[in-house]
Amino acid sequence: MRIMRGSSNSGVLFVLWMGLVVMMTIGETEGGRVRHYKFDVEYMIRKPDCLEHVVMGINGKFPGPTIRAQVGDTLDIALTNKLSTEGTVIHWHGIRQIGTPWADGTAAISQCAINPGETFHYRFKVDKAGTYFYHGHYGMQRAAGLYGSLIVDLPKGQKEPFHYDGEFNLLLSDLWHTSSHEQESLLINGRGQFNCSLAAKFISTSLPQCQLKGGEECAPQILHVEPKKTYRIRISSTTSLASLNLAISNHKLTVVEADGNYVEPFTVDDIDIYSGESYSVLLTADQDPTKNYWLSVGVRARKPAIPDQVLTALTLLNYKTISASVFPASPPPVTPRWDDFDRSKAFTKKIIANIRSPQPPPPPYSHRRIVLLNTQNRVEGFTKWAINNVSLTLPTTPYLGSFKFKLNNTFDRKPPPENFRSEYDIFNPPVNANATTGNGVYVFQLNEVVDVILQNANQLTGKGSEIHPWHLHGHDFWVLGYGEGKFKAGEDEKKFNLTHAPLRNTAVIFPYGWTALRFKADNPGVWAFHCHIEPHLHMGMGVIFAEAVHKIKNIPSQALACGLTANNGRHN
Ligand SMILES: [Cu+2]
């Protein structure tokens, strides 16, 4: 078997410049191939937004190489930690890890962090076509730049339920400046402009016009299109904090995929995208081919630091009929107002399951309902996030190992609360802001159907309620509905969408609202369910689901070489 580096130098660029699919194939028989990758994780000095930063990269690349595989393939990724002092892991976001819960890449949950100098083999099957990505899941390594794209194609001969002539892949992220936490850049495929604007000539901004020649690390990757052709644009967001909106001047976007699931197509001028989500949109190059157009990504759901100056990332949609250096004739699309949540909800509610694809509807009932109140709290004077008043602190021994070796003292054996006090007023600051820390787990039986109601609430200051995109590992869930205020069991469950509920792996909760999800505990493992805003997770905004743990088999000892499982689990 040939060992192959994750990508060539031009991998991502090539996809964009040619508008074509680049398969990183290794020559094996068709279907069920094993694709080998060698990933070296290290710090590097780069200029992703034209300023020098220390970023995390893989094999010398930032973002990491794009993995492209086919349904049924097995990925075998030998990940070597080349950092000098910290551990690392990589989570394969959106891949359900059916039968391989130890390969989910969550430190202290599915495995031990990989120590400096060590190599860990992630080996798992990709079983569903779609737009995914991977990222660090230890500390704040995602914010530091540890991420890349993972795209799974349908098996040969199978067709998507929509047509396109070419495709682009846009991985969106945010980059924070160590000198000041107030300063941030948005990146498209790891590229942004911090100290200048590509559109300075067209908008009122204090930034100068960018003077880029095109070869710079921070020069935007341009989307080159042919008139009349239709393109699939894959868009995923691995931001550490920002909620985003993407628009392309003069062009409509038809949403066809969300988190690796086909949705009923709908057409919009722009899309909202929260951290942890991915979409495919179709764009037809049907506008005046003697012009170029802006592609703009701006921040939503957070007040701009400078009033009326929404942080944006820009690139161009270039009709190949003219030079890419021709400026668009008009300013970039304006990002919708940051606090227009009615608009955000209207977009999110348009997403329903594709009617013609064989996606299963949710089971008509659930066995159990867990209501999770999201609050900002104080623990020993520090601001934290808590779920039903418990702020998650991960144990030193990974849960998977604790279950495998039946260890009783490695985490809180008392399960966390399944509801919150009925008198809690979600519209006002907590009467008592103190929370406790904990690391107990919600335990599910095999095939138990579970409803989760995510209940949003006030912030500590009482001056608002933030958006939180919740991401579930090991599963897709059905989104049964969104509502305002406090969830009212009898009344609200009657409005659940049980016919066209979309399958997702990430769902947002809106300010002062609730979101209802349903999933089937059919994947033995220990799975994180958490807010995908990295600092929120870091401050305790997550819970742990343990599912049919007695059925978990074949955990490689390499995954458990730490904490109290180190002796039992040490291989060799
Ligand atoms: Cu959050």
Side-chain angles (χ1 to χ4, degrees):
M1 190 84 54
R2 279 193 301 136
I3 301 283
M4 147 158 204
R5 294 267 165 188
S7 163
S8 66
N9 272 324
S10 56
V12 176
L13 283 170
F14 191 57
V15 171
L16 281 152
W17 287 353
M18 305 306 291
L20 288 170
V21 176
V22 182
M23 291 270 293
M24 284 178 283
T25 319
I26 51 170
E28 291 293 313
T29 52
E30 231 176 81
R33 280 165 294 200
V34 181
R35 292 168 190 270
H36 292 263
Y37 296 85
K38 194 178 169 343
F39 272 21
D40 290 347
V41 173
E42 60 204 323
Y43 280 109
M44 313 178 305
I45 295 169
R46 284 289 184 282
K47 289 184 176 175
D49 62 352
C50 308
L51 296 188
E52 222 166 64
H53 293 262
V54 175
V55 296
M56 291 186 90
I58 294 167
N59 300 346
K61 293 176 187 63
F62 166 80
T66 295
I67 293 179
R68 188 129 201 170
Q70 218 174 57
V71 171
D73 287 351
T74 296
L75 304 186
D76 185 320
I77 300 137
L79 191 143
T80 302
N81 180 351
K82 296 225 163 158
L83 312 169
S84 48
T85 57
E86 54 190 298
T88 193
V89 289
I90 286 186
H91 167 58
W92 316 94
H93 186 109
I95 307 299
R96 293 169 295 171
Q97 301 291 354
I98 295 167
T100 52
W102 51 267
D104 193 42
T106 46
I109 302 167
S110 65
Q111 69 172 111
C112 302
I114 306 158
N115 289 320
E118 289 183 357
T119 299
F120 183 85
H121 282 262
Y122 290 100
R123 196 179 163 97
F124 57 90
K125 218 171 199 166
V126 289
D127 65 330
K128 193 156 63 75
T131 305
Y132 308 106
F133 52 101
Y134 60 84
H135 61 78
H137 214 294
Y138 179 62
M140 297 282 282
Q141 292 185 346
R142 180 154 56 89
L146 187 53
Y147 44 74
S149 289
L150 198 175
I151 294 169
V152 182
D153 290 303
L154 282 172
K156 254 209 184 86
Q158 282 189 34
K159 278 208 167 75
E160 311 275 356
F162 42 85
H163 163 82
Y164 54 101
D165 304 297
E167 73 169 71
F168 301 101
N169 180 37
L170 307 178
L171 178 60
L172 311 178
S173 59
D174 48 8
L175 183 72
W176 292 83
H177 294 217
T178 42
S179 53
S180 163
H181 289 287
E182 294 301 307
Q183 294 182 310
E184 170 197 18
S185 298
L186 293 185
L187 307 180
I188 303 173
N189 290 344
R191 291 153 176 261
Q193 298 80 38
F194 178 70
N195 48 9
C196 65
S197 168
L198 295 171
K201 289 176 188 164
F202 300 89
I203 54 174
S204 76
T205 172
S206 50
L207 294 170
Q209 179 66 41
C210 294
Q211 305 293 333
L212 296 169
K213 292 184 179 69
E216 299 87 350
E217 275 176 59
C218 62
Q221 290 180 340
I222 293 168
L223 284 64
H224 302 282
V225 296
E226 279 177 38
K228 307 288 179 218
K229 298 263 194 217
T230 296
Y231 295 86
R232 175 183 192 165
I233 308 177
R234 298 174 184 270
I235 306 157
S236 22
S237 173
T238 184
T239 53
S240 60
L241 191 58
S243 301
L244 304 174
N245 179 273
L246 181 147
I248 301 176
S249 327
N250 297 49
H251 290 76
K252 298 277 183 193
L253 307 173
T254 300
V255 180
V256 291
E257 181 212 345
D259 301 353
N261 295 294
Y262 299 126
V263 302
E264 191 57 19
F266 63 96
T267 300
V268 284
D269 291 320
D270 56 85
I271 69 160
D272 285 335
I273 177 161
Y274 302 96
S275 180
E277 293 185 332
S278 64
Y279 290 100
S280 281
V281 299
L282 300 180
L283 170 142
T284 299
D286 56 3
Q287 294 300 301
D288 181 352
T290 65
K291 291 192 170 100
N292 288 324
Y293 301 87
W294 294 109
L295 183 155
S296 166
V297 177
V299 171
R300 299 207 64 207
R302 177 160 44 97
K303 201 175 184 173
I306 306 165
D308 303 325
Q309 279 200 22
V310 176
L311 183 64
T312 49
L314 293 169
T315 187
L316 289 180
L317 184 78
N318 161 243
Y319 277 71
K320 287 182 190 170
T321 32
I322 60 163
S323 161
S325 61
V326 175
F327 267 106
S330 48
V334 175
T335 301
R337 226 182 58 223
W338 73 274
D339 57 352
D340 187 351
F341 293 113
D342 286 340
R343 200 178 189 286
S344 317
K345 289 171 198 171
F347 172 78
T348 302
K349 289 175 184 174
K350 284 194 176 111
I351 301 163
I352 58 164
N354 185 289
I355 289 159
R356 289 158 306 154
S357 71
Q359 181 180 306
Y365 58 87
S366 66
H367 299 112
R368 187 162 159 192
R369 173 175 295 155
I370 292 175
V371 186
L372 301 176
L373 175 70
N374 290 232
T375 53
Q376 210 176 20
N377 293 80
R378 284 216 178 78
V379 176
E380 288 160 10
F382 294 98
T383 300
K384 299 275 181 186
W385 291 91
I387 304 307
N388 293 347
N389 224 38
V390 180
S391 185
L392 179 68
T393 48
L394 292 170
T396 49
T397 301
Y399 290 101
L400 261 190
S402 295
F403 283 111
K404 175 177 175 174
F405 297 114
K406 300 191 167 58
L407 304 174
N408 283 318
N409 311 316
T410 48
F411 64 88
D412 303 338
R413 284 292 153 164
K414 189 170 172 269
E418 303 213 353
N419 212 325
F420 59 96
R421 288 181 300 108
S422 59
E423 63 270 27
Y424 189 93
D425 178 2
I426 65 151
F427 294 103
N428 282 300
V431 178
N432 176 0
N434 291 327
T436 55
T437 58
N439 53 27
V441 301
Y442 295 92
V443 177
F444 303 124
Q445 305 306 311
L446 185 66
N447 293 331
E448 202 171 349
V449 176
V450 182
D451 279 2
V452 177
I453 312 294
L454 289 162
Q455 177 68 61
N456 211 343
N458 50 275
Q459 289 162 212
L460 262 183
T461 56
K463 286 187 192 142
S465 176
E466 279 184 51
I467 272 187
H468 303 283
W470 277 77
H471 171 62
L472 177 59
H473 292 230
H475 295 274
D476 286 341
F477 48 69
W478 289 274
V479 185
L480 301 183
Y482 303 88
E484 308 288 324
K486 204 192 269 188
F487 179 76
K488 293 181 276 313
E491 188 179 321
D492 287 329
E493 65 194 6
K494 289 199 193 96
K495 291 178 256 165
F496 283 171
N497 176 3
L498 297 176
T499 48
H500 300 110
L503 275 170
R504 305 287 308 253
N505 62 53
T506 304
V508 74
I509 50 171
F510 292 107
Y512 303 110
W514 55 263
T515 299
L517 317 173
R518 179 169 293 177
F519 73 97
K520 195 173 183 183
D522 55 3
N523 190 13
V526 184
W527 308 110
F529 179 48
H530 62 88
C531 176
H532 211 260
I533 293 175
E534 202 174 32
H536 290 186
L537 169 61
H538 212 56
M539 293 192 282
M541 199 167 205
V543 295
I544 305 293
F545 291 164
E547 230 164 278
V549 290
H550 60 285
K551 295 232 184 250
I552 301 168
K553 289 194 285 266
N554 307 325
I555 306 173
S557 49
Q558 201 191 4
L560 305 174
C562 65
L564 288 181
T565 57
N567 296 329
N568 295 324
R570 178 77 65 190
H571 68 154
N572 302 333

